[in-house]
Amino acid sequence: MTTVSASRGLSQKQRKTVAGGAIGTLIEYYDYYLYGLASAAVFPAVFFSSEDPVIAQLSSFATFAVGFFLRPVGGIIWGIIGDRIGRKTVLMSTVIGMGLATTAIGLIPSDHAIGVAAPLLLLFCRLLQGFFVGGEMGGAATMVVEAAPIGKKGLYGAFLISGAGVANVVSGGLMAVLGLTPGSWFLEWGWRIPFVFSIVLAIVAVILRRHLEESDEFVETQTLQLAAAGKKANPLIEVFRHPKNAIMGILIGLPQSIAGYVVLTYGLAFMVGNKHLPAWMGFAGTMIVGLLQIVVAPLWGHISDRIGRRTVYIIGCLGFAAMVYPAFMLFSTGNLWLIWLGQIIGFVVFGVAMQATLATMLAEMFDPEARTTGVNIGYQISNTLGGGLAPLICTALVAAAGGSFWPVVVYAAVIAVVGVIATLMASIRPDVEGAGRLHELAATSTIKTNA
């Protein structure tokens, strides 16, 4: 396969690929962080205002969770399209769909205006969000990792998470500024502005992605399949032809998926609902987290190129588990600076270590003909089982414990241990010259068998 040496700089094609991938990740995380923040501090009052406060919060987080249920479906459908037709087709389609769905959420009237239709419309738009987001990370990670130079795939793969940091800054910053406006105006109109702004980001992404090109590795693999078998392999069948990595990918992704939603999303709900603190404190902290994430993610990516993706990810899992307790202790103080410190130690240091390495590591666990599908299965199912349910699980656990957060600490630790074990068991292609494939191409294997 054609590769690029680590000693050379990025070509124009590679720069376009990294930028095109990062903008999509920005929108993915912008949409989901924004929805997470709103579901913690806005939606209970706007769409579930007739409920008891605890029931309203649970209902709001339930819509948050439901959006994750279509992510694996979208991941499989868009993954198959990406591995058979091309990653560019997927990346153009998903970014347009995400932008339209998120903008539509900002245009839904409150339940005071249209009654039960309001939460139903919210649920429908959230499902659309999940379906389109399901194809984004697999397509973006695959294109960026395949285009990156040998020996630097961790660094350039981590720029996808720098895009997520920008999303944190924009979503948290907009909500923090708008949260300082009069409460009635914010709940009626202010929160809608960041959602409608998503269409602007989508337009920018389309402009950046319109000139993307498929990687040499992908084109050569497709050519080899057609020459050997006269057709392209079914990516879903190829993923489960060697099922271990598909299963390990899901388990590996679990701790990464819950980190932000435990510390930032549920942490905000804990501060507002349990400690009766103003929401803007958490919004502003999210913006600070995003600023640091922009820098910290490539740093961890670079470190993973030196000591290995597996090692960095395990460090992230164990560090995150250890930091949940001190983070929530700091949230409980009510002190602005300590709350921000809690968000930083709870997520930025170790949560970003997992985020920065996961996409690249998943891409290195699958061969080109099934890579987008494999990455999507691991990333999206883990996000559904982990991140999608995390705020709901944390809310229920703390309520059952009478307001104490210790069950959240135990929950995070158990998920982290699962991630560590799965990371140790996975087969990961080394990022070195001549690494080759993980498994023999099915088409050529069939020819040998028939011969």
Side-chain angles (χ1 to χ4, degrees):
M1 297 294 175
T2 304
T3 59
V4 180
S5 169
S7 62
R8 291 170 52 188
L10 292 184
S11 66
Q12 184 179 11
K13 174 182 175 179
Q14 290 172 312
R15 288 194 294 270
K16 287 180 180 178
T17 301
V18 173
I23 185 65
T25 311
L26 188 160
I27 295 177
E28 173 189 352
Y29 279 87
Y30 176 83
D31 290 352
Y32 265 68
Y33 282 145
L34 185 60
Y35 196 101
L37 294 172
S39 66
V42 175
F43 291 166
V46 175
F47 296 115
F48 305 98
S49 60
S50 62
E51 306 283 356
D52 170 87
V54 174
I55 300 300
Q57 187 69 76
L58 285 170
S59 298
S60 180
F61 278 150
T63 67
F64 177 80
V66 164
F68 282 82
F69 294 155
L70 275 190
R71 286 178 69 154
V73 176
I76 292 171
I77 292 174
W78 292 114
I80 291 172
I81 294 172
D83 286 327
R84 288 180 67 88
I85 299 176
R87 285 71 186 254
K88 179 180 177 179
T89 300
V90 170
L91 294 181
M92 293 294 285
S93 302
T94 55
V95 78
I96 293 170
M98 287 190 298
L100 291 175
T102 304
T103 299
I105 290 173
L107 302 177
I108 301 173
S110 70
D111 62 354
H112 284 303
I114 61 173
V116 71
L120 290 177
L121 286 172
L122 178 67
L123 182 62
F124 176 71
C125 291
R126 178 64 175 163
L127 288 171
L128 287 179
Q129 258 192 340
F131 177 74
F132 286 107
V133 165
E136 176 60 37
M137 180 56 79
T142 297
M143 285 201 81
V144 170
V145 171
E146 287 179 351
I150 294 294
K152 293 188 177 181
K153 294 185 183 297
L155 171 63
Y156 289 107
F159 280 121
L160 296 176
I161 305 305
S162 291
V166 176
N168 255 337
V169 173
V170 178
S171 61
L174 286 173
M175 291 295 273
V177 170
L178 292 166
L180 293 173
T181 59
S184 59
W185 186 86
F186 175 67
L187 289 177
E188 184 68 26
W189 300 108
W191 70 269
R192 301 177 184 276
I193 295 173
F195 281 84
V196 175
F197 181 67
S198 181
I199 197 66
V200 177
L201 296 177
I203 292 170
V204 173
V206 168
I207 293 172
L208 286 175
R209 287 181 166 180
R210 72 189 191 280
H211 295 309
L212 286 178
E213 300 176 42
E214 302 295 344
S215 72
D216 293 338
E217 186 179 15
F218 173 70
V219 173
E220 290 173 20
T221 299
Q222 290 220 322
T223 301
L224 184 58
Q225 287 186 93
L226 292 172
K231 62 179 181 179
K232 301 173 186 176
N234 184 317
L236 191 58
I237 292 175
E238 290 305 300
V239 167
F240 288 102
R241 195 160 64 92
H242 306 282
K244 185 186 79 169
N245 269 8
I247 297 169
M248 292 304 106
I250 295 169
L251 299 178
I252 288 170
L254 288 176
Q256 179 273 156
S257 73
I258 72 167
Y261 293 120
V262 168
V263 176
L264 302 180
T265 302
Y266 175 71
L268 174 61
F270 177 80
M271 287 183 273
V272 172
N274 293 62
K275 300 302 175 181
H276 309 292
L277 299 171
W280 70 265
M281 288 185 174
F283 292 154
T286 299
M287 181 176 65
I288 294 170
V289 164
L291 284 170
L292 294 172
Q293 188 176 3
I294 295 170
V295 178
V296 173
L299 176 61
W300 277 117
H302 175 70
I303 293 172
S304 79
D305 285 329
R306 296 293 176 266
I307 67 175
R309 243 73 77 194
R310 201 189 307 263
T311 301
V312 170
Y313 197 81
I314 289 173
I315 291 171
C317 289
L318 298 177
F320 163 65
M323 289 297 106
V324 173
Y325 178 79
F328 276 82
M329 284 292 292
L330 292 170
F331 295 162
S332 300
T333 66
N335 179 281
L336 177 64
W337 299 102
L338 293 180
I339 286 171
W340 290 350
L341 177 61
Q343 291 178 307
I344 291 170
I345 67 168
F347 179 69
V348 174
V349 180
F350 297 107
V352 174
M354 293 187 287
Q355 281 193 341
T357 51
L358 178 64
T360 303
M361 186 162 61
L362 287 175
E364 292 171 337
M365 289 167 59
F366 299 95
D367 288 315
E369 68 275 11
R371 186 168 288 151
T372 309
T373 306
V375 173
N376 278 344
I377 287 174
Y379 186 81
Q380 302 303 349
I381 293 181
S382 65
N383 268 276
T384 299
L385 299 177
L389 297 175
L392 195 62
I393 289 172
C394 291
T395 300
L397 288 174
V398 171
S404 175
F405 61 78
W406 67 263
V408 175
V409 178
V410 175
Y411 165 63
V414 170
I415 296 297
V417 170
V418 170
V420 168
I421 294 172
T423 303
L424 290 170
M425 293 179 64
S427 300
I428 303 171
R429 187 177 73 165
D431 182 16
V432 296
E433 198 76 47
R437 297 172 53 86
L438 287 167
H439 307 286
E440 187 175 9
L441 188 65
T444 58
S445 176
T446 301
I447 292 175
K448 289 180 181 179
T449 301
N450 292 338

